[in-house]
Amino acid sequence: MTETGESVGARDQGDAPRGPLWWTRRRSAVLDVVLALASGAECAAQGVPFARDAGVPVGLSVALGALAGLALVLRRRWPIAVVLVAIAVTPAQMGFLLGTVGLYTLAASEVPRRIIGLLAGMQGLGTLVVSAMELQRNVGRDDYGYDPPAWFVPLVSVLMSLGVTAPPVLLGLYAGARRRLVESLRERADGLERELSLLADRAEERAEWARNEERTRIAREMHDVVAHRVSLMVVHAAALQAVARKDPEKASRNAALIGDMGRQALTELRTMLGVLRAHEGKSTGSAQVPGGVSAGSVESERPLARVAEVAEVAAAAVVRGPAEGPGGPAESAEGLAGGSEESGGPCLRELDALVGQSRAAGMPVELSVEGEVRSYARRVEQTAYRVIQEALTNVHKHAAGARTRVRLARRAGEVAVLVENEAPTEGVRGAGLPSGGNGLVGMRERVAALGGGFVSGPTEAGGFRVSAVIPDRG
């Protein structure tokens, strides 16, 4: 038989508290038992006049009536069967409570509407026939000589049939529609909650990914800014140690270069670290932007991106070095703190200065530039500059004093760079610089981020070659 909507809904909810047998809750079972007892008592009492009129034993009529009334306990499990029992006892003028509650439960269940309409019509038709026969018999017994019109009995019979059948059916349909609406809203709310939870998880993953990307970017920038300059400082210190007694004048120049480079490196590091601390102070006195979110709080949520920008700008100061004169480091610090957009970071025009620093450190470097002067995107020029800078730094670390060739090819739509050094000269003492193995990795990541190609490896002559082709899609 067909289950009610409440039973179906409770069955779908695996975590719902279960009652005895098919009931979902204990109070539902208690209510059905009470209604069944009341219906059984009603049908048993109505079985007495039926036994007298039909000429059957009273005990049998009462027992059958009580059994039919007790069938109401099955209304949630088999609502159609309960209504059929109510229709069956209608000719015996039994089961008013049984029929009313049964029709309500049937209309509120998930039974198709055509079946509800059919059974309600059968119940109404049975009530109409029984009411008409009883009224006709009672009117014929009138001792006062009242002769009602012909329409009286049919009209009263129809009204009684509708009054017994229509209210429980309409109320049951309303209760079923309301329950389905609530279930639909609950499902939509659960779906929205799951979607919001999924979106929150994805947002957290994206935020973590963005933080990791910014940390990686900052690590590359600080490595490029600091490692190159410190490497040159170590090379000059080694040269200073070698000529300290033989050529005091040259030793003095090397000491001055080391001092300038050290001050500039400290200035750049201090500026980068200061950005991480400055965002906390800015967030307290920032102005409000539309939507109730302060501009300072929005900016303070991305201090790593600000450090990355500062690191890019700091790299521009590497190529200037002592050529800036006495005010060089101070002006560089002002540029770092004041704004990265105006400085723009290193570019290919500063390659001569970069190569000059390596030559000043005693490395024979040959620079060749091919192609017409072109303007490339900012990231393309910075990446090409970084590759050359890191390649020269590696030569200082691993092949001090080796002859090096730097080639830059300006092409339509791309930039090609090549840095190749010969095998280190025998007997030349290296600078003793440590290597963390991050230089080549950082170069490859930079080039790959722009969709270019990067190749590095030893040459047949015992040297090392680094080459990259960087497309310009700007």
Side-chain angles (χ1 to χ4, degrees):
M1 304 300 289
T2 305
E3 298 181 11
T4 63
E6 185 175 350
S7 300
V8 173
R11 182 189 61 194
D12 295 339
Q13 297 175 354
D15 57 348
R18 301 293 300 177
L21 298 178
W22 56 82
W23 286 282
T24 59
R25 294 175 295 183
R26 294 185 181 275
R27 63 179 183 180
S28 299
V30 173
L31 175 62
D32 288 354
V33 170
V34 171
L35 290 176
L37 292 176
S39 176
E42 178 194 17
C43 292
Q46 291 171 346
V48 175
F50 173 74
R52 184 173 56 249
D53 296 339
V56 297
V58 177
L60 178 62
S61 177
V62 170
L64 292 177
L67 182 62
L70 291 175
L72 189 60
V73 76
L74 306 174
R75 70 184 185 96
R76 299 180 191 268
R77 191 72 174 92
W78 295 299
I80 295 179
V82 173
V83 174
L84 290 176
V85 171
I87 294 174
V89 299
T90 298
Q93 300 182 20
M94 296 182 185
F96 173 78
L97 180 61
L98 176 66
T100 301
V101 178
L103 285 177
Y104 166 81
T105 305
L106 178 68
S109 66
E110 301 296 331
V111 176
R113 295 293 179 85
R114 62 179 183 276
I115 297 179
I116 296 175
L118 176 62
L119 294 179
M122 292 173 61
Q123 178 75 12
L125 180 61
T127 304
L128 175 65
V129 173
V130 172
S131 300
M133 293 177 60
E134 186 67 20
L135 283 175
Q136 188 67 35
R137 186 177 60 176
N138 292 336
V139 169
R141 295 177 181 177
D142 189 5
D143 298 334
Y144 298 97
Y146 174 70
D147 188 14
W151 50 264
F152 177 77
V153 173
L155 178 62
V156 174
S157 300
V158 169
L159 291 177
M160 290 180 64
S161 176
L162 291 176
V164 172
T165 306
V169 172
L170 295 177
L171 185 60
L173 291 175
Y174 167 76
R178 183 177 180 276
R179 186 192 65 251
R180 286 187 289 271
L181 176 61
V182 172
E183 292 176 354
S184 175
L185 294 177
R186 184 181 295 111
E187 291 177 358
R188 291 179 61 185
D190 294 340
L192 289 175
E193 184 177 358
R194 288 192 295 269
E195 290 180 4
L196 289 176
S197 177
L198 182 61
L199 290 175
D201 294 340
R202 290 180 178 177
E204 185 177 355
E205 292 176 359
R206 286 196 299 268
E208 184 64 25
W209 175 84
R211 286 193 292 267
N212 292 334
E213 285 295 315
E214 289 181 2
R215 292 190 183 102
T216 304
R217 181 185 176 191
I218 293 169
R220 287 198 301 263
E221 297 296 338
M222 296 188 69
H223 176 272
D224 293 337
V225 170
V226 178
H228 181 75
R229 184 160 301 197
V230 173
S231 299
L232 292 180
M233 290 171 59
V234 175
V235 172
H236 283 292
L240 175 61
Q241 183 180 5
V243 301
R245 296 181 180 180
K246 299 178 182 179
D247 192 349
E249 183 178 354
K250 185 176 181 180
S252 177
R253 290 197 302 268
N254 288 340
L257 287 174
I258 294 173
D260 290 339
M261 291 180 181
R263 284 189 293 270
Q264 291 173 12
L266 289 175
T267 300
E268 293 158 8
L269 286 176
R270 188 182 299 111
T271 304
M272 293 178 196
L273 298 177
V275 172
L276 288 174
R277 299 188 181 97
H279 77 278
E280 299 178 357
K282 291 181 180 179
S283 60
T284 58
S286 58
Q288 293 289 328
V289 297
V293 181
S294 65
S297 61
V298 174
E299 185 69 21
S300 65
E301 292 178 357
R302 297 180 60 83
L304 299 180
R306 173 61 178 155
V307 172
E309 294 177 0
V310 172
E312 290 181 358
V313 180
V318 174
V319 301
R320 300 185 181 93
E324 294 180 340
E331 294 174 0
S332 175
E334 292 177 1
L336 292 173
S340 60
E341 298 299 331
E342 297 180 359
S343 300
C347 60
L348 295 178
R349 293 192 305 268
E350 300 168 345
L351 279 182
D352 290 333
L354 178 64
V355 172
Q357 290 180 352
S358 295
R359 288 172 179 167
M363 178 191 297
V365 183
E366 176 187 350
L367 174 63
S368 62
V369 180
E370 302 175 3
E372 300 178 357
V373 178
R374 303 175 185 271
S375 177
Y376 297 99
R378 175 185 173 187
R379 291 190 62 188
V380 173
E381 294 204 7
Q382 288 180 356
T383 302
Y385 181 95
R386 291 281 192 244
V387 171
I388 298 173
Q389 180 189 50
E390 182 59 29
L392 292 177
T393 302
N394 288 340
V395 175
H396 284 291
K397 290 181 179 180
H398 308 291
R403 184 174 299 276
T404 305
R405 183 165 60 95
V406 178
R407 178 190 172 196
L408 171 67
R410 300 176 182 267
R411 303 168 184 169
E414 65 179 17
V415 178
V417 297
L418 172 67
V419 179
E420 182 178 356
N421 64 275
E422 299 177 356
T425 305
E426 296 182 2
V428 178
R429 183 183 177 185
L433 294 170
S435 177
N438 298 320
L440 294 177
V441 175
M443 285 190 281
R444 181 175 288 105
E445 290 177 351
R446 285 180 179 276
V447 176
L450 298 180
F454 178 84
V455 178
S456 63
T459 63
E460 296 179 357
F464 200 84
R465 179 187 297 113
V466 172
S467 62
V469 178
I470 308 167
D472 183 14
R473 297 190 175 96

